[in-house]
Amino acid sequence: MQHLAIIPDGNRRWAAKNKLQALLGHRTGMETVRTAIKVCIKNNIKYLSFYTFSLENFKRSEEEKSYLFALLTDGFRKNLPELVAQNIRVRFLGDRALFPEKIRDIINEVEAKTAHLNKLNLNLLFCYGSRGEIAHAVKVLAQKVKDGILSIEDINEDTVSNSLWTAGIPDPDLVLRTSGTVRTSNFLLYQSAYSEWSFLDCHWPEVTAELLEQNIDKFKEIKRNFGK
């Protein structure tokens, strides 16, 4: 397996289940992210992608959004030295024009200071929506055709892939979604065409290293023929 992608659903529901403030679910979920990172490094998985903040998440309350952005900022300020020490490259993938002004500095700093690292590529899909990503790729290709850089006949799956926000990153082998929700939620729609999907009945903060290992082992047993 090269690439594990995760939709870490259920932070707020976990908090409600445990009679905690909803926002505390997000903080606990951050610890599970650390668990997933350790599991990927142990299993020599080179790419780990998280659905961190979707375009639809902008509809949430100002209080929750502010908390999430502060949690992200504080987490990276605290953990950046550890990420560098572990040889982890961090990238934020999404509509960068929508990145909140108050966290752009820390995003740029984290990406710059980890750009040369290669033990694990940690991709945070942020201000992300797959339909928006595909629309952006269409615009990029259309502009190239308009400028005479590209002909319509040269547009194929590779040129589309190379115009996506995930350009240069292999498609996910396995996509995990927690909380028992069975839908893709506008996540890597183009890239996951041949991915295996696993929908877990537990909330994200309840995910353990053992559960992740079990799903990785199950994936290894699957014979993938890509339609052949």
Side-chain angles (χ1 to χ4, degrees):
M1 183 191 298
Q2 284 192 90
H3 187 175
L4 173 63
I6 298 176
I7 303 177
D9 202 9
N11 288 337
R12 293 182 298 178
R13 276 168 279 176
W14 174 85
K17 176 182 173 182
N18 289 277
K19 297 181 173 55
L20 298 171
Q21 289 184 331
L23 298 181
L24 293 178
H26 295 304
R27 183 171 293 278
T28 306
M30 289 282 284
E31 292 304 312
T32 313
V33 170
R34 293 170 67 91
T35 298
I37 289 172
K38 291 176 183 177
V39 168
C40 284
I41 291 174
K42 176 184 174 184
N43 287 274
N44 295 313
I45 296 170
K46 298 291 290 184
Y47 296 86
L48 174 61
S49 297
F50 280 101
Y51 206 176
T52 306
F53 191 84
S54 72
L55 294 176
E56 290 77 16
N57 289 155
F58 277 109
K59 300 174 185 176
R60 295 188 177 183
S61 70
E62 290 301 321
E63 179 188 18
E64 184 173 4
K65 287 185 289 185
S66 294
Y67 182 86
L68 285 169
F69 298 151
L71 187 63
L72 192 68
T73 301
D74 294 343
F76 274 114
R77 285 198 175 123
K78 177 181 177 182
N79 296 305
L80 182 54
E82 182 181 351
L83 290 168
V84 172
Q86 292 185 78
N87 201 14
I88 298 172
R89 180 182 184 183
V90 181
R91 280 182 278 188
F92 288 78
L93 308 176
D95 189 343
R96 299 186 83 91
L98 296 177
F99 285 13
E101 186 68 35
K102 57 180 143 184
I103 64 171
R104 287 183 184 178
D105 286 347
I106 189 65
I107 287 174
N108 292 334
E109 179 182 355
V110 169
E111 289 186 325
K113 290 185 176 179
T114 64
H116 62 292
L117 306 177
N118 59 15
K119 179 70 174 179
L120 174 68
N121 292 272
L122 178 61
N123 306 311
L124 303 179
L125 279 71
F126 187 72
C127 300
Y128 177 88
S130 191
R131 288 182 174 180
E133 177 184 32
I134 292 169
H136 176 267
V138 170
K139 290 178 182 178
V140 168
L141 293 172
Q143 189 64 51
K144 287 183 177 180
V145 171
K146 181 180 178 181
D147 294 342
I149 300 171
L150 185 72
S151 69
I152 292 176
E153 290 74 19
D154 290 332
I155 296 176
N156 53 37
E157 290 185 13
D158 289 336
T159 55
V160 173
S161 292
N162 291 330
S163 301
L164 296 171
W165 291 324
T166 55
I169 297 171
D171 293 339
D173 300 293
L174 174 64
V175 183
L176 299 180
R177 178 169 188 158
T178 52
S179 282
T181 305
V182 183
R183 61 173 179 266
T184 58
S185 293
N186 204 17
F187 179 68
L188 296 176
L189 300 179
Y190 189 91
Q191 299 88 334
S192 66
Y194 284 101
S195 302
E196 300 296 328
W197 284 74
S198 181
F199 298 95
L200 310 180
D201 288 330
C202 58
H203 300 309
W204 176 243
E206 296 169 330
V207 170
T208 62
E210 291 74 21
L211 183 57
L212 292 172
E213 294 274 9
Q214 288 171 16
N215 278 270
I216 292 169
D217 289 341
K218 285 180 183 178
F219 172 82
K220 292 176 182 177
E221 296 171 1
I222 297 171
K223 182 178 180 181
R224 307 174 77 202
N225 57 21
F226 300 98
K228 296 179 182 178

